[in-house]
Amino acid sequence: MNHGIFDVLVFGLGAVMAGVLLLLAMVHLELGPTVRLAGRKRWLLAAALGSGVLAFVIKLLIIVTLINFPQYTIAPLLASNVPAPRAAPAPVMSGRPHYVWLALDKRYRSSAAAATQPGYRWQALPEQAPMPPHNPATPAKVALGRQLFFDPALSRDGTVSCASCHDVDGMAGTDGRATSRGIDGHIGNRNAPTVWNAAFQSLLFWDGRAASLEEQARGPLLNPLEMGMPSPAAVEERVRSRMQYRDAFAVAFGAAAPITLDRIVEAIAAYERTLITPDSAYDRFVRGEPGALTPAQLRGMALFQSFGCITCHHGPNFSAASVFDDSTPRRIFPANPTPYEQRYDLISDGGANGTAGRGVWRVPSLRNVALTGPWLHNGAVTELAEVVRIMAGAQLGRAGHYLLWSEQEGRLREIDQPAPSEAEVADIVAFLHALSSERLVAGRRAADTLPTRGEGG
């Protein structure tokens, strides 16, 4: 028996016994002789009066117990009436929010509390990418674009296609290299971004110099280090000289429409707008499947918000440079000095700045990021956990103790921003894996079972 309740019972029993003795004394010594009662009549009077006193004492004891020991009395009764949480409730289709209990380790409750504050709404990726009015997609145009995307004949020496750097099946839309290989063995100076979900980005390329998929598709065709075609006319003549393309263009654009570079890139862009991945565990979770994320991924999701990763990587496509966003699509990187910038040569390329130093870069999407390594603009980092550490220090300032001097205000402040622990890094990495398309995960596993590609592949 609980010690608290036992103490109350002992106290109550003593109070009842004292009351009974007092009542008997009053009846036998005062009330009985006064009204001239004797024998059994005195006992009946004592019982009648005693029942009222006993009831009053019991009520007092109940009130005292409820007030002083609610954890043993009221709380268990309330808990027994709370329905058990359901593992996977059906989504509410009326549009009203529904809530699901999610178990969370005590060590991470502070991060979870910060992450669940009002203001940020987690969103799933749409099932279809937006199309520009000037380039509506048709099945014929998409099929033509896919054919062009995989055709190395669009390069000067016939060895490099769009798919050479953007393997949509086996490498999650990248090539798995630090920096990409073009014609004549030329090596570029930047990592190939994934083409998956590029349709949701408002800016393309690492420096954000292209504002549409059509504009982006022109770049590699004419870049001397990539596909190396000498001019737009040369691209048009290369395509026009192939009978299969003449027929396909007539079906996609009309028999009277000439083959031009504009239509070539429109077809490629139409195909790329079909490359979207709304099938991640994260998307299933947000759409109403609580069991889609593991406990580690849930903790990582909480840390992702409470640490401030959502400042740049927010919205359905986890990027400020997306069609869902009207904030600043580029950021300075690295924003804060850390040892990582020398270790991984992060400031020799200034991105949109055009000069070495702290560069200005488009915010990349984190969709499928666990499948697209090596990472960062120069492909210098080979572990996703290391990317998390770099971003925590370089972008979020989570690298230790800082002295912040404001010349304008004339103030010196001390800031403690401890680096994330290894457990926190592991949980964030687990959450980033939850952003991976199940289809692309299967494709990557299949690719990993194939023999290693040679350097000339």
Side-chain angles (χ1 to χ4, degrees):
M1 183 181 293
N2 190 283
H3 289 294
I5 296 178
F6 179 76
D7 293 341
V8 171
L9 291 176
V10 171
F11 171 78
L13 182 60
V16 170
M17 293 178 63
V20 169
L21 293 174
L22 180 61
L23 181 62
L24 289 174
M26 290 174 61
V27 170
H28 286 278
L29 298 178
E30 293 186 15
L31 293 177
T34 300
V35 297
R36 298 178 181 179
L37 296 176
R40 293 176 58 186
K41 293 182 178 181
R42 289 188 180 186
W43 287 107
L44 289 173
L45 178 61
L49 296 175
S51 62
V53 174
L54 183 61
F56 180 72
V57 171
I58 291 174
K59 290 179 181 179
L60 286 177
L61 289 174
I62 292 174
I63 293 172
V64 170
T65 302
L66 292 175
I67 293 175
N68 290 279
F69 303 99
Q71 67 271 36
Y72 307 122
T73 55
I74 300 175
L77 294 174
L78 294 176
S80 65
N81 289 323
V82 176
R86 296 174 294 173
V92 176
M93 302 307 292
S94 66
R96 293 178 297 174
H98 66 286
Y99 301 92
V100 181
W101 289 100
L102 298 171
L104 192 64
D105 192 293
K106 283 184 178 179
R107 292 172 297 168
Y108 297 90
R109 284 182 183 169
S110 59
S111 295
T116 53
Q117 293 299 313
Y120 184 71
R121 178 170 173 258
W122 299 90
Q123 301 172 66
L125 197 68
E127 300 283 346
Q128 186 174 356
M131 291 182 293
H134 72 275
N135 188 22
T138 64
K141 191 185 295 184
V142 170
L144 171 60
R146 187 184 190 283
Q147 189 177 0
L148 292 165
F149 187 90
F150 284 89
D151 192 350
L154 269 66
S155 64
R156 180 174 56 78
D157 62 0
T159 62
V160 176
S161 68
C162 301
S164 298
C165 298
H166 303 286
D167 182 348
V168 296
D169 295 317
M171 299 301 294
T174 67
D175 58 6
R177 304 179 188 274
T179 56
S180 296
R181 182 185 297 274
I183 62 169
D184 301 326
H186 290 302
I187 302 297
N189 58 357
R190 291 180 184 167
N191 181 257
T194 178
V195 72
W196 284 98
N197 302 308
F200 293 111
Q201 293 296 84
S202 60
L203 297 179
L204 287 306
F205 293 113
W206 274 100
D207 54 16
R209 64 183 181 273
S212 69
L213 287 173
E214 289 81 2
E215 185 180 352
Q216 184 276 330
R218 292 174 180 268
L221 291 170
L222 303 174
N223 189 306
L225 299 181
E226 296 182 51
M227 299 173 78
M229 294 298 283
S231 66
V235 179
E236 296 167 354
E237 179 57 33
R238 182 69 61 88
V239 174
R240 195 179 298 123
S241 66
R242 284 161 169 73
M243 176 65 71
Q244 71 271 24
Y245 282 131
R246 293 201 296 268
D247 295 340
F249 268 86
V251 174
F253 292 98
I259 295 176
T260 64
L261 181 59
D262 284 344
R263 293 193 173 96
I264 291 170
V265 298
E266 283 178 5
I268 293 174
Y271 165 65
E272 290 179 336
R273 289 191 176 96
T274 68
L275 301 177
I276 62 174
T277 59
D279 63 329
S280 71
Y282 163 82
D283 292 296
R284 290 191 286 112
F285 173 81
V286 173
R287 291 191 175 106
E289 188 180 333
L293 297 185
T294 67
Q297 289 169 339
L298 285 170
R299 295 194 301 264
M301 185 177 179
L303 291 166
F304 191 86
Q305 180 168 340
S306 63
F307 275 11
C309 308
I310 58 169
T311 303
C312 297
H313 299 285
H314 52 256
N317 207 32
F318 288 82
S319 169
S322 74
V323 297
F324 310 102
D325 201 282
D326 58 1
S327 64
T328 306
R330 295 182 178 91
R331 296 289 194 277
I332 296 174
F333 174 79
N336 302 305
T338 67
Y340 296 117
E341 63 190 44
Q342 300 298 327
R343 187 181 308 168
Y344 296 109
D345 191 26
L346 300 181
I347 58 176
S348 62
D349 185 345
N353 276 343
T355 58
R358 303 196 181 282
V360 175
W361 304 95
R362 176 203 66 161
V363 178
S365 168
L366 296 186
R367 288 273 174 179
N368 303 301
V369 67
L371 304 174
T372 58
W375 292 276
L376 301 185
H377 61 273
N378 58 0
V381 184
T382 58
E383 294 183 7
L384 189 55
E386 186 75 341
V387 178
V388 173
R389 298 184 194 101
I390 291 171
M391 301 306 289
Q395 301 308 104
L396 301 176
R398 288 184 167 270
H401 190 81
Y402 291 91
L403 292 175
L404 185 63
W405 166 249
S406 172
E407 183 177 354
Q408 184 177 11
E409 299 176 359
R411 298 177 184 272
L412 183 67
R413 288 186 294 164
E414 291 186 82
I415 299 176
D416 271 315
Q417 288 274 58
S421 68
E422 287 306 296
E424 290 171 328
V425 170
D427 285 341
I428 293 174
V429 169
F431 173 64
L432 295 177
H433 276 273
L435 304 181
S436 296
S437 159
E438 294 177 356
R439 169 190 170 184
L440 296 188
V441 169
R444 185 61 185 265
R445 287 173 180 165
D448 288 343
T449 64
L450 299 176
T452 303
R453 292 178 300 176
E455 286 302 307

